[in-house]
Amino acid sequence: MWWKTLSVILLLYVITTGLLVPLKPGITHVTPETFKTGQTAEIQFHGYNTFYSRSAASDIRIWLEYDSLHAVAGQNIRILSDTTLSAAFTFPARLPRPTTSVMLNAIIDHPADGVSLLPGAIEVALDTAAPSGAASWNQTPVSQLHIKSDFTFPYRNVIYESIRNTYFHVPMWFALMFLFIASVVYSVRYLYHPQPDFDRRAAGYAETGLLFGGLGLVTGMLWAHFAWGAAWSNDIKQLMTAVALLIYLAYFILRRSFDEPEKGARLAAVYNVFAFASLIPLLYIVPRMFASLHPGATGNPAFGSEDLDNTMRLVFYPSIIGFTLLGFWVAELRIRFQRVADKAMGLD
Amino acid sequence: MNLNMLFTLLRKEFLLEFRQRYAISGIVLYVFSMVFVVYISSVRVQPPVWNVLFWLIVLFASINAVVKSFVQESGARQLYYYQLADPATLLLAKIIYNTLLLLVLSSLAFGAYSVVAGNPVKDPGLFALVLLLGSLGFSIAFTFIASIAAKANNSATLMAILSFPVVLPILLTLVRLSQIALRVIQDTSYQRDIINLLAIDAILITLTFVLFPFIWKD
């Protein structure tokens, strides 16, 4: 069958590109992190996936930026290694707005690597004792950046390389949703045309959906352990997912609770439709009412447009199709096995 | 479906309950025992905990009150109803009856629990509305699940495992709304939560009427 081949090809593509394509260069941290106004300091920038020595130090530019109008450029830039840069900064005597301290973003522009950014990299506090100094906030505005558009995944602080889990964790939920929809469709068909094959299909798709739900939960917990510090953190989406899986476990118990298979199949089909409909508020209404650690949490249960870039889309969408087709393939095998088993027991 | 039949069926539910007074007395005693057990194990608690404990009492009391609505009537009597009434009317009568029953039970639970553990409710109007909406939501979900569970041998276990996940969105919204009534959290736009709750109820009741004829036929 062509779609089984397609799913294998897509998943091979997803696993190779998803795991091997490098991340864009980024800045992990800056040392030291706190300064005072009017101070002149030597600052070190620590890069990730960077190759600073590939171009001359004079071509590299570094800014500490407050907003598009206020930035301080680094002087006397030196390349210490491929991942370490050092530059001298002289902070102006006043802060860009009347407050006691501001956070500045670090921007490094490198002719070969491109631009990398670290939001809120350092803090500058107002030094009331020494209100003098020649430097100003807008001598060298951030301009003429080298924007690179090569095939790399975005660098994000906190999640780093685990951004690749997007291609495995999220498609599990897509596959689960498609499988549960197929299961409900066959349950409805069973109610109108009670044939044992429709019941087998409904159960087979639900079982495979449950498998993908388990995998989605495990990949999610691994990711949460890395990014949020704990595998289970009382996040509303984790809770709702666990409940959704409980519903389908209850479905299997209900299916087996009757002496006559026909009665069990019919009542399980009814419960499947009912449970699927109550899954909609569980997954799309309730999470909107609570804060979540997941991206796009406030008012939006899915991804925001800023969570994926075009390179990621090239792997993410094939991954959804690949895992969904794989899910239907597994379900098909499960259903065929059950059909043979039922025949052998004389139930069909 | 006609109103006459609905009233007759409702009257039947009340009569049945009146003649089998031990059943309803059992449930009322269950509520009081539970309030007492919860009180003894926690004594006086802060409003957030009070809220959670109160809804747990109401949840368990509701399950036990509703599960009997199909179990107590034998297969032969079900067959008799099947010949006389249409399933939608029968189910509607049961849902209305159970809503009233749960409203009474949750008011009793509230009365008993506030006597022993104090009454932290700051907005009685909203809290009464939450109790009403809660009774309605629980009644719809539990009546339907009870009609499925009654067909199996292990109906008490099935009732719990089938209904807890289904009723969770309703319960979470209720707890949130009653936190607002207790002024545990501040939220002026709670109308949205009430609309959410009514939307969930609407989804469940529509499905109930579509699906009940399939359970009914045996």
Side-chain angles (χ1 to χ4, degrees):
Chain A
M1 293 272 262
W2 63 270
W3 55 273
K4 292 175 186 170
T5 323
L6 180 66
S7 96
V8 171
I9 292 168
L10 284 178
L11 287 179
L12 284 176
Y13 160 76
V14 166
I15 290 169
T16 41
T17 51
L19 293 180
L20 293 182
V21 168
L23 297 190
K24 280 193 172 61
I27 312 169
T28 54
H29 62 287
V30 171
T31 46
E33 287 179 324
T34 47
F35 302 92
K36 285 191 166 165
T37 50
Q39 187 185 356
T40 300
E42 179 88 5
I43 303 179
Q44 282 195 8
F45 296 82
H46 302 274
Y48 184 83
N49 261 12
T50 49
F51 297 95
Y52 291 138
S53 57
R54 283 190 185 171
S55 60
S58 55
D59 293 334
I60 302 174
R61 293 171 305 156
I62 307 179
W63 289 275
L64 290 170
E65 180 213 37
Y66 177 67
D67 59 21
S68 56
L69 291 176
H70 301 91
V72 187
Q75 309 296 325
N76 188 21
I77 295 169
R78 287 179 299 128
I79 300 170
L80 302 180
S81 75
D82 260 344
T83 57
T84 325
L85 281 180
S86 141
F89 288 84
T90 305
F91 294 104
R94 295 174 189 286
L95 292 176
R97 67 188 174 92
T99 174
T100 53
S101 76
V102 291
M103 300 297 288
L104 301 183
N105 310 325
I107 301 176
I108 299 179
D109 184 48
H110 188 277
D113 280 350
V115 187
S116 43
L117 172 104
L118 179 65
I122 65 155
E123 185 181 16
V124 181
L126 184 64
D127 188 356
T128 44
S132 65
S136 96
W137 280 102
N138 43 18
Q139 277 172 337
T140 45
V142 178
S143 65
Q144 291 175 321
L145 297 174
H146 295 85
I147 306 289
K148 295 282 171 190
S149 57
D150 45 0
F151 198 79
T152 46
F153 297 142
Y155 169 86
R156 296 275 154 77
N157 283 292
V158 180
I159 58 173
Y160 306 110
E161 295 281 350
S162 77
I163 197 166
R164 302 168 197 282
N165 201 0
T166 314
Y167 314 124
F168 303 97
H169 171 61
V170 188
M172 296 300 168
W173 302 114
F174 278 88
L176 164 135
M177 211 56 209
F178 287 125
L179 285 161
F180 281 171
I181 288 172
S183 171
V184 166
V185 167
Y186 276 103
S187 277
V188 171
R189 288 185 71 181
Y190 181 83
L191 288 177
Y192 287 96
H193 307 280
Q195 293 164 15
D197 200 50
F198 289 155
D199 174 52
R200 267 197 297 269
R201 285 187 167 273
Y205 288 129
E207 270 174 32
T208 321
L210 213 55
L211 171 71
F212 275 78
L215 289 175
L217 212 58
V218 170
T219 50
M221 279 161 74
L222 282 172
W223 205 357
H225 185 69
F226 179 76
W228 302 339
W232 197 271
S233 35
N234 208 27
D235 185 79
I236 187 71
K237 283 188 191 174
Q238 289 183 322
L239 295 179
M240 293 299 105
T241 306
V243 172
L245 298 184
L246 277 186
I247 288 185
Y248 279 88
L249 288 172
Y251 164 78
F252 289 112
I253 290 180
L254 179 67
R255 250 184 115 241
R256 303 262 181 270
S257 310
F258 297 91
D259 299 333
E260 310 133 70
E262 187 275 331
K263 198 170 168 186
R266 177 162 49 84
L267 291 173
V270 168
Y271 184 70
N272 193 2
V273 178
F274 193 70
F276 184 78
S278 51
L279 212 60
I280 306 292
L282 221 54
L283 297 180
Y284 299 102
I285 299 180
V286 175
R288 283 168 200 263
M289 309 192 319
F290 298 89
S292 169
L293 292 164
H294 277 83
T298 41
N300 181 358
F303 264 152
S305 54
E306 71 278 9
D307 293 324
L308 285 176
D309 77 345
N310 284 333
T311 313
M312 289 184 77
R313 277 175 230 273
L314 282 179
V315 187
F316 182 63
Y317 293 138
S319 175
I320 291 176
I321 301 171
F323 275 111
T324 306
L325 292 179
L326 181 75
F328 276 86
W329 188 0
V330 173
E332 180 113 320
L333 292 174
R334 179 82 196 118
I335 292 160
R336 273 162 61 189
F337 172 79
Q338 197 58 47
R339 191 178 295 145
V340 173
D342 284 356
K343 276 226 171 73
M345 290 176 70
L347 288 171
D348 198 354
Chain B
M1 188 191 300
N2 64 54
L3 278 177
N4 226 337
M5 192 186 283
L6 182 66
F7 284 125
T8 318
L9 284 167
L10 261 178
R11 197 170 148 263
K12 180 221 71 171
E13 293 287 341
F14 281 105
L15 260 180
L16 210 61
E17 199 72 85
F18 184 70
R19 286 184 188 158
Q20 301 180 326
R21 264 160 304 205
Y22 64 89
I24 185 96
S25 319
I27 295 294
V28 171
L29 193 57
Y30 180 88
V31 171
F32 285 135
S33 317
M34 216 168 143
V35 165
F36 200 59
V37 166
V38 167
Y39 167 70
I40 287 181
S41 48
S42 60
V43 197
R44 289 201 176 237
V45 286
Q46 292 300 305
V49 184
W50 186 97
N51 189 32
V52 173
L53 291 177
F54 173 71
W55 282 105
L56 281 180
I57 295 171
V58 172
L59 179 74
F60 281 93
S62 306
I63 285 203
N64 279 291
V66 175
V67 72
K68 68 176 180 50
S69 67
F70 283 91
V71 179
Q72 71 178 6
E73 296 180 56
S74 65
R77 207 192 286 171
Q78 301 268 12
L79 195 65
Y80 174 62
Y81 296 144
Y82 185 33
Q83 288 165 346
L84 291 178
D86 74 310
T89 320
L90 188 116
L91 185 70
L92 188 63
K94 291 237 188 233
I95 287 177
I96 293 173
Y97 175 74
N98 282 333
T99 309
L100 295 174
L101 178 68
L102 294 190
L103 195 60
V104 170
L105 284 181
S106 49
S107 309
L108 275 179
F110 171 66
Y113 196 47
S114 43
V115 165
V116 291
N119 177 9
V121 176
K122 301 285 191 306
D123 185 346
L126 178 63
F127 195 77
L129 179 68
V130 177
L131 279 189
L132 176 67
L133 288 172
S135 306
L136 180 67
F138 284 171
S139 160
I140 297 169
F142 290 154
T143 309
F144 183 72
I145 300 291
S147 74
I148 296 179
K151 303 274 179 194
N153 307 325
N154 51 344
S155 53
T157 321
L158 265 186
M159 180 74 193
I161 59 169
L162 294 183
S163 54
F164 281 145
V166 169
V167 95
L168 207 88
I170 299 178
L171 188 69
L172 281 176
T173 324
L174 287 174
V175 168
R176 199 182 133 80
L177 274 170
S178 88
Q179 279 178 337
I180 296 168
L182 265 64
R183 299 274 187 276
V184 171
I185 51 172
Q186 296 290 329
D187 191 348
T188 46
S189 62
Y190 60 80
Q191 282 86 354
R192 224 188 49 192
D193 288 337
I194 295 180
I195 291 171
N196 275 346
L197 199 54
L198 289 174
I200 297 174
D201 284 354
I203 294 175
L204 292 186
I205 201 153
T206 317
L207 274 168
T208 303
F209 281 107
V210 174
L211 293 173
F212 188 66
F214 295 107
I215 304 173
W216 186 237
K217 284 182 216 155
D218 231 0

